[in-house]
Amino acid sequence: SSSQDLDKENGEDFKRNGLRSTAGARLGWSKDLTLNDLPFARWDVDRVAMWLHAVGLSQYVGQCRRWVRNGDQLLKASNHELEKELGMKNHFHRKKLQLALQRYNTKPDPNNKEANIPTAIDLLDHNWVMRWLDDIGLPQYKDSFSEARVDGRMLNYLTVEDLMHLRVTNALHHLSIKSGIQVLRRNGWSQGCLKRRPAPDDGHLENCPEEVCLWTNHRVMEWRRSIDLSEDAPN
C-alpha cells in the first residue's frame, strides 16, 4: 500500500519467480505430497489440510485444522464424525472423501515404490467431469455435479440413487451416463479417449462399433448433419 516509499535497492526482491501475492492456496499443494514415503496416517494436520484442498474439498479446510490431529484420525473417521466435526453434511462430499481415502487405507508396501503414484482415475477431478458432461451431451447437469464435487472416482461408483439425488430423472440421460462410464472403464479412464472431431479415416470406417463408441455428442451431431439428419438433432 506504500510502494512509493520502498527502497529502490530492494527492487530485485520482486522478480517474477516464486509465489505471487495473488496466488491461491493451491500453489502450496504439490503432487510430491503423495509421492513420499510417509504413510497418510502419519501426515500432520497441515499436510492433511493441503491434501483436502487438492481433492476439491477446500471448504472444509478450516474445520479440518480445528478437529483433525493427523491423517490416521481422518482415515478412521465415521460418517457421523465427518458430518458433526467437519460440518460435511453433503452426502456426496462424504462419499468423495471416503473414496479418495481408499487408496491410503491399505498398508504401504515398502518394496512397491509405485503404490502411491496417482492412477489415471485419480487425475480426473471435478473440473474434468464438467467437460465430460459436455462430451456426452448433458451439460444441463453441470451445476448439480459441480455442487456434489463429482470426480472420476465418484463416477466409477455412481448409483441410480445417486443420479436421482443429482436430479438426473430422464431414463435416456441415465443410459447416456451409464454408457459413458462404461466407455471410460474400457479405456482405462484415459482423459483423451473420446473423439470430438472427425478423423481423416472416418470415411473409410466399416463395422467399427468400437470407434463409434468413442464419439462425443458433438461428433455425433456433426455426423448427423453430414448425412442430412440434422433436423431432429435437438432431441
Side-chain angles (χ1 to χ4, degrees):
S1 59
S2 303
S3 58
Q4 68 272 17
D5 298 327
L6 287 174
D7 185 351
K8 293 182 179 180
E9 293 179 0
N10 294 328
E12 289 300 310
D13 293 340
F14 293 89
K15 286 183 178 178
R16 193 175 178 83
N17 57 13
L19 299 180
R20 292 181 293 157
S21 60
T22 54
R26 181 172 294 275
L27 287 178
W29 161 261
S30 167
K31 288 184 180 178
D32 293 338
L33 198 61
T34 60
L35 299 181
N36 55 51
D37 297 327
L38 192 65
F40 187 93
R42 293 172 55 192
W43 285 12
D44 60 22
V45 62
D46 290 332
R47 193 177 293 261
V48 171
M50 289 166 65
W51 174 83
L52 200 62
H53 173 80
V55 298
L57 295 172
S58 55
Q59 64 266 50
Y60 302 106
V61 166
Q63 290 295 88
C64 170
R65 291 185 180 278
R66 180 191 64 78
W67 178 65
V68 175
R69 298 185 303 276
N70 51 46
D72 185 56
Q73 182 183 2
L74 192 58
L75 285 171
K76 295 176 179 177
S78 65
N79 258 320
H80 175 71
E81 288 175 320
L82 293 178
E83 184 174 355
K84 179 183 177 182
E85 304 295 345
L86 288 185
M88 199 172 285
K89 301 185 184 301
N90 188 305
H91 154 74
F92 290 106
H93 293 180
R94 295 194 301 271
K95 183 172 184 175
K96 176 187 178 76
L97 177 61
Q98 289 165 340
L99 288 173
L101 287 171
Q102 276 185 359
R103 61 186 294 246
Y104 302 106
N105 264 321
T106 55
K107 189 175 181 180
D109 181 1
N111 298 319
N112 185 4
K113 295 183 179 180
E114 297 183 357
N116 284 331
I117 297 178
T119 60
I121 198 171
D122 292 320
L123 302 178
L124 307 182
D125 62 10
H126 67 278
N127 292 313
W128 180 88
V129 172
M130 297 304 102
R131 296 191 293 272
W132 177 78
L133 286 171
D134 276 328
D135 285 339
I136 64 173
L138 298 175
Q140 63 268 46
Y141 299 113
K142 281 184 177 182
D143 287 344
S144 56
F145 273 67
S146 178
E147 182 182 347
R149 286 295 189 269
V150 176
D151 57 14
R153 280 188 174 275
M154 291 179 72
L155 277 183
N156 195 29
Y157 288 96
L158 275 184
T159 65
V160 172
E161 185 180 359
D162 286 338
L163 290 177
M164 297 299 289
H165 282 298
L166 288 167
R167 299 188 284 278
V168 183
T169 56
N170 183 298
L172 288 176
H173 295 177
H174 274 244
L175 182 60
S176 292
I177 291 174
K178 178 181 176 181
S179 300
I181 292 171
Q182 288 174 341
V183 168
L184 289 173
R185 286 173 180 158
R186 286 200 300 267
N187 288 273
W189 297 93
S190 169
Q191 296 188 40
C193 66
L194 298 181
K195 298 187 176 181
R196 298 179 175 88
R197 295 287 183 272
D201 58 347
D202 276 0
H204 306 289
L205 292 177
E206 290 185 9
N207 299 320
C208 296
E210 67 278 2
E211 289 291 325
V212 177
C213 282
L214 299 179
W215 286 6
T216 64
N217 176 257
H218 179 77
R219 174 70 186 95
V220 171
M221 293 305 103
E222 284 192 342
W223 171 74
R224 292 180 67 83
R225 284 192 290 273
S226 73
I227 59 172
D228 297 325
L229 286 178
S230 60
E231 66 277 2
D232 58 345
N235 297 328

